[in-house]
Amino acid sequence: SKSLILYDIYKSAADFTVDALHDDPTATARETIYHFTRRLLVGIASDIERAAVYFQEGPYITEWFTEEQVAYIRTAETTVYEHVRDVIDRGIASGEFYDCDSHVLALGYIGMTLGSYRWLRPQGRRTAKEIAVEFSTALLRGLIKDETVRGDSPLGIDVQGEGRSTPSS
């Protein structure tokens, strides 16, 4: 049935997004945000149609899915939101980020990244990885307290080799 096919698409998208959360426990908050952004955008670019269905059909899932299916999707969405908010809070607590409303920033970040399905194209002029660098750099430059880090290495990594950058002196 259409609802089962739609649920399979939803479950696949929700599971992908939650799976993309897995972080290196030694990574800084800024590195965590960058790596999550990269995984999300690369995943969206690899299956634009799945992302489009997920967001365009979102208002109707309570009509088509069972209560248990809706709960599964909402739990996944909450997990993603809480993870992003917690990473921002961790950055604030460590002094890496300015104090901010992590709730609002997490919602904005989610909208910015997950909404990219509307315009992100695998064969576009910029790759998903390049766009992840742009998104993450813009966001992190607004959060990072240390002026040198903010200017020199906001992602906390060497994007060329995907290794960690060394702090500036």
Side-chain angles (χ1 to χ4, degrees):
S1 74
K2 180 181 177 182
S3 64
L4 286 177
I5 293 169
L6 187 59
Y7 181 69
D8 284 345
I9 293 169
Y10 260 79
K11 186 175 182 318
S12 169
D15 290 346
F16 159 77
T17 306
V18 170
D19 288 346
L21 296 174
H22 299 294
D23 299 317
D24 173 355
T26 66
T28 64
R30 72 182 196 270
E31 291 169 339
T32 299
I33 286 175
Y34 167 66
H35 288 296
F36 182 52
T37 304
R38 182 177 46 77
R39 287 188 298 266
L40 282 176
L41 293 180
V42 168
I44 289 169
S46 72
D47 197 345
I48 296 279
E49 294 80 12
R50 175 181 65 183
V53 167
Y54 189 96
F55 290 105
Q56 291 174 3
E57 300 299 322
Y60 312 106
I61 68 170
T62 56
E63 296 172 29
W64 295 327
F65 297 168
T66 67
E67 285 183 30
E68 294 80 21
Q69 291 170 329
V70 171
Y72 185 89
I73 298 303
R74 297 297 184 235
T75 297
E77 292 170 345
T78 299
T79 299
V80 170
Y81 157 75
E82 288 175 348
H83 177 77
V84 172
R85 185 204 58 213
D86 291 349
V87 169
I88 295 167
D89 285 341
R90 181 171 49 116
I92 293 167
S94 73
E96 187 176 4
F97 295 163
Y98 284 107
D99 190 21
C100 64
D101 185 337
S102 59
H103 167 72
V104 171
L105 199 58
L107 292 174
Y109 168 85
I110 290 166
M112 178 178 78
T113 53
L114 297 181
S116 66
Y117 78 90
R118 293 179 181 262
W119 52 266
L120 181 64
R121 296 295 169 257
Q123 305 307 317
R125 70 179 185 86
R126 303 289 301 277
T127 68
K129 287 181 181 181
E130 290 170 333
I131 293 167
V133 168
E134 291 291 332
F135 274 15
S136 299
T137 300
L139 175 70
L140 292 167
R141 283 202 168 130
L143 282 172
I144 296 171
K145 286 174 86 170
D146 184 307
E147 217 173 290
T148 303
V149 171
R150 187 172 57 246
D152 293 345
S153 60
L155 302 180
I157 59 142
D158 170 14
V159 181
Q160 302 291 331
E162 290 290 319
R164 288 182 186 232
S165 64
T166 55
S168 302
S169 25

